[in-house]
Amino acid sequence: MRKKIIAGNWKMNTCLKKGQELAEKINLYAKSNTNIYAGIILGVPFTHLYKIVNTVDLTKISVAAQNCASEESGAYTGEVSAGMIKSTGANYIIIGHSERRQFFSETDEIIAKKINLCIKNELFPIFCCGESLQERNESKHFEVVEKQINTGIFHLDKFNIEQVIIAYEPVWAIGTGVNASPGQAQEMHEYIRKITSEKYSKAIADKIPVLYGGSVKPDNAGELFKQPDIDGGLIGGASLKADDFIEIIKVV
Ligand code: PEP
């Protein structure tokens, strides 16, 4: 059975002190409770990585960056490489978030390069995909997500694909307060598992975690995570409030 994962995406929020306080609260909860059934990942700003890696109990909580450069090293002022992220002790990188696609013009091809750099540096990518509202209204959501997945991760071989966590995040649900219904999310997760099974094998598709992201809150997490193909969540807004994030962890 796949273990459920609850991953926070803090985005460009919290200064270092506030971020550390948030991580400390979640760490305290994770350390003092033996009945936690979810893997916990905190997706924090680059500036916080090293500090938070050294704040949390890494046997209970993993730390993720939210992006990496598409090149390995060199004259790319302001960029942060996958190797640099690895050197902080972080283990995951969120790749291809819709905000990066939308505001920083990340294409599926750029995302595929970043995925390769994660694998090369032994970091687990949390690969994000999802359709816009217009694409859903035009019934193109399966086609759009399939293309993102095909170009973004399906070039990986059968060993490396198992390092990937997929996060289905419909763009219309991110930060809007309107989550996909459990039925809508399950339908897409089932589709993602089906295409993964066709590309690799059923055994591989059954192992890959597929998280749902988009306005997950303590009061809707239960119904979403009950769906057979939803393996937890990528949580934005609610991951910035320790109590809400912990409530979501408790749902699992
Ligand atoms: C996200 O940023 O990945 C996200 C899902 O945000 P929110 O939970 O705020 O919709």
Side-chain angles (χ1 to χ4, degrees), residues 235-251:
I235 321 291
S239 72
L240 290 168
K241 294 184 195 132
D243 291 347
D244 283 1
F245 193 63
I246 289 167
E247 282 308 308
I248 293 171
I249 295 167
K250 283 186 192 163
V251 164

Side-chain angles (χ1 to χ4, degrees), residues 9 11 97 99 169 173-176 213-217 234-238:
N9 175 15
K11 313 194 187 200
H97 191 280
E99 287 152 16
E169 300 206 301
I174 297 179
T176 58
S215 297
V216 176
K217 307 285 175 213
L234 180 55
I235 321 291

Side-chain angles (χ1 to χ4, degrees), residues 80-191:
V80 177
S81 73
M84 292 170 184
I85 291 164
K86 179 74 181 177
S87 74
T88 67
N91 279 325
Y92 291 82
I93 311 185
I94 299 169
I95 298 286
H97 191 280
S98 68
E99 287 152 16
R100 300 231 37 105
R101 294 175 187 262
Q102 195 181 342
F103 304 129
F104 301 96
S105 310
E106 280 193 15
T107 60
D108 291 333
E109 289 72 22
I110 292 172
I111 289 163
K113 281 177 81 178
K114 295 185 178 193
I115 291 284
N116 292 343
L117 288 166
C118 288
I119 300 292
K120 190 168 179 192
N121 287 280
E122 297 179 346
L123 287 154
F124 301 102
I126 302 173
F127 167 80
C128 302
C129 56
E131 80 287 355
S132 67
L133 185 58
Q134 188 181 342
E135 288 160 344
R136 177 159 283 262
N137 287 341
E138 291 170 359
S139 297
K140 290 186 179 152
H141 42 298
F142 293 114
E143 186 190 321
V144 167
V145 168
E146 184 165 354
K147 181 179 174 296
Q148 291 170 340
I149 290 181
N150 255 323
T151 314
I153 54 174
F154 274 5
H155 61 284
L156 296 175
D157 66 23
K158 63 180 182 194
F159 300 106
N160 288 327
I161 193 71
E162 286 192 23
Q163 311 307 311
V164 179
I165 295 174
I166 299 173
Y168 168 58
E169 300 206 301
V171 180
W172 48 272
I174 297 179
T176 58
V178 181
N179 59 288
S181 69
Q184 285 172 319
Q186 165 58 25
E187 183 185 42
M188 182 59 83
H189 284 232
E190 196 179 337
Y191 186 72

